[in-house]
Amino acid sequence: MYEKESTSMKISAPTPVFSVNPVVLPAPGRAVDLQVRVSAPMTGSGLPIILLSHGLGSSHHLSSLNGYAPLSGFWAAQGFAVIQPTHLDSKTLSQNPAVNPSGHDPQHWRTRAEDMSQILDQLDVVEAAVPQLAGRLDRGKVAVAGHSMGGHTASLLLGARLTDPRDATVVDLADHRIKAGVLLAATGRGGDAVTAFVTENYPFLTTTDFSAMATPALVVAGDKDDSAFLTVAGPDWHADPYHLAPGPKALLTLYGAEHCLGGISGYDVAETTDENPARVATIALLTSAYLRSHLYPGDPAWQVARDALAADPNASGRIDCK
């Protein structure tokens, strides 16, 4: 076992991992085929799956299958198969006229969620493209994770709903193959909590409804993440998916964390305003433990990690559950 110096939480010794990209999934009707990265341990079978949705952000390549190595690598080393798509709103596709000549698709919130379900529809294609993975996936153990806009995507797959700004229909994109989720600095409620900028540029965020998001989820929020261009509610806005959704839910509040939560989107990246490798390590450990225990009922990893955090006099955050 390996023990972090800053906390008493323990994790299993990591195993070697491999990563393959791009794996191209045929996507009729989509502007371009869906490209994904697959990361997994070199050994082992019955691997649970994590679908990881990227955020938007200012960097070019982090908002694609090339981002979030601090999390994807750790999760893969802990025995998960991690699949990361490049969504149509990725800056890596901004020069492709087939995606959207204007550079902005008002329906990108929908296509993001559809990308994730399409991956689950094509796991046979994924395994065929990555022979090292063939026959090793546990398709009944699927989780979703997402950061920022990716957190919004994950929330829709977990059961959150919204009203389509085009026609005022209530949209339900929940995928019941997904058994648990992690929302990292995700978007919160709409209404009077959002700014005029959101109303003008992201009207789908004005009607978010978490009341049907019943799938178990861990919400991760920084207590210094004010996201002032999105919300007037301050850092608490990012905890809305915990407070406004039915249980079972957990909330990890990180002390001093801003929107990149210490640097989860990549190593040494310019957009991280609160770089803190120890915080990233804590997030990786706790999210892995949460998903392990919720995909495998009876596994003690989550309770052990919670107890260790609570007992640490220098804890970097706190956990609430309901």
Side-chain angles (χ1 to χ4, degrees):
M1 302 291 280
Y2 168 72
E3 186 169 352
K4 295 168 67 255
E5 293 181 0
S6 61
T7 177
S8 58
M9 292 183 287
K10 296 181 179 180
I11 59 175
S12 300
T15 58
V17 305
F18 68 89
S19 183
V20 178
N21 81 100
V23 176
V24 181
L25 305 182
R30 194 176 187 268
V32 294
D33 285 337
L34 178 59
Q35 295 190 1
V36 305
R37 175 187 291 272
V38 178
S39 303
M42 292 290 293
T43 59
S45 59
L47 304 179
I49 299 166
I50 301 177
L51 306 179
L52 175 56
S53 178
H54 63 74
L56 298 179
S58 56
S59 297
H60 188 77
H61 283 283
L62 296 179
S63 298
S64 75
L65 56 75
N66 292 315
Y68 298 89
L71 293 182
S72 63
F74 181 91
W75 290 339
Q78 293 300 308
F80 294 91
V82 185
I83 306 178
Q84 301 172 247
T86 293
H87 297 302
L88 289 175
D89 54 17
S90 171
K91 285 188 176 183
T92 61
L93 300 176
S94 62
Q95 301 304 309
N96 188 330
V99 174
N100 191 294
S102 68
H104 176 66
D105 182 356
Q107 287 288 296
H108 70 108
W109 56 268
R110 182 191 293 271
T111 63
R112 283 171 145 268
E114 291 171 346
D115 288 345
M116 306 297 259
S117 291
Q118 191 160 159
I119 291 170
L120 295 180
D121 292 342
Q122 297 198 59
L123 289 177
D124 286 342
V125 178
V126 172
E127 290 197 28
V130 186
Q132 304 95 321
L133 202 62
R136 298 175 60 204
L137 297 178
D138 186 342
R139 303 186 185 197
K141 306 292 186 184
V142 180
V144 65
H147 173 233
S148 192
M149 184 62 196
H152 180 268
T153 301
S155 73
L156 293 178
L157 293 161
L158 295 169
R161 298 175 183 175
L162 57 77
T163 301
D164 190 328
R166 298 180 308 170
D167 56 17
T169 58
V170 176
V171 180
D172 179 2
L173 295 172
D175 192 318
H176 298 291
R177 292 171 292 186
I178 295 171
K179 306 304 181 185
V182 173
L183 308 182
L184 300 150
T187 55
R189 68 190 186 278
D192 60 4
V194 297
T195 62
F197 174 84
V198 167
T199 300
E200 179 179 355
N201 294 279
Y202 303 108
F204 60 90
L205 289 178
T206 66
T207 59
T208 304
D209 177 9
F210 295 107
S211 65
M213 196 179 80
T215 306
L218 170 61
V219 178
V220 181
D223 68 0
K224 300 299 182 185
D225 181 7
D226 59 11
S227 299
F229 74 106
L230 295 176
T231 182
V232 298
D236 289 345
W237 188 63
H238 296 287
D240 282 348
Y242 171 78
H243 293 295
L244 302 180
K249 296 290 182 293
L251 172 64
L252 169 60
T253 303
L254 294 162
Y255 306 142
E258 299 177 16
H259 196 60
C260 286
L261 302 175
I264 63 170
S265 59
Y267 295 108
D268 300 324
V269 300
E271 67 187 53
T272 299
T273 56
D274 63 332
E275 188 169 25
N276 188 321
R279 179 181 298 139
V280 175
T282 295
I283 293 169
L285 186 153
L286 287 168
T287 53
S288 176
Y290 179 88
L291 293 178
R292 177 67 60 181
S293 291
H294 282 75
L295 293 175
Y296 297 93
D299 188 303
W302 174 235
Q303 188 61 56
V304 170
R306 286 179 58 192
D307 291 345
L309 186 70
D312 187 346
N314 300 309
S316 57
R318 69 176 187 276
I319 294 173
D320 299 290
C321 296
K322 67 177 187 179

